[in-house]
Amino acid sequence: MTDSSRLPGMYANVEAYLQRHLLVQWLVLFLVTGIPWTLIQLAVSDSSAVAMLSGGVFGAVFATVFVLVRRESE
């Protein structure tokens, strides 16, 4: 088990890694937002193609905007 006093340092390490590796950061954001959106769309939509497309577009747009805004604020 991880000591809870080490967690802030571990999060800082992950944050620093993601700042250095923008492609990895973009991919993580794409997956974390796109997959749930796709699953929600699959639950409410009759078309799996529409669900996959909307999840992919949502994840890509969210990840791209997040990374670009983050880069501009540095």
Side-chain angles (χ1 to χ4, degrees):
M1 184 142 236
T2 304
D3 181 19
S4 63
S5 65
R6 292 181 42 206
L7 285 177
M10 291 171 60
Y11 288 132
N13 290 343
V14 170
E15 178 71 21
Y17 177 82
L18 290 174
Q19 287 298 323
R20 288 189 313 270
H21 300 89
L22 289 178
L23 184 60
V24 174
Q25 181 183 25
W26 187 92
L27 185 60
V28 167
L29 288 167
F30 171 76
L31 293 174
V32 167
T33 58
I35 290 174
W37 186 266
T38 300
L39 294 175
I40 290 169
Q41 288 296 317
L42 283 172
V44 299
S45 175
D46 293 336
S47 173
S48 61
V50 169
M52 299 282 273
L53 181 63
S54 68
V57 169
F58 178 75
V61 169
F62 181 87
T64 302
V65 169
F66 186 90
V67 168
L68 288 175
V69 168
R70 190 87 186 249
R71 294 235 349 146
E72 290 295 322
S73 67
E74 290 180 353

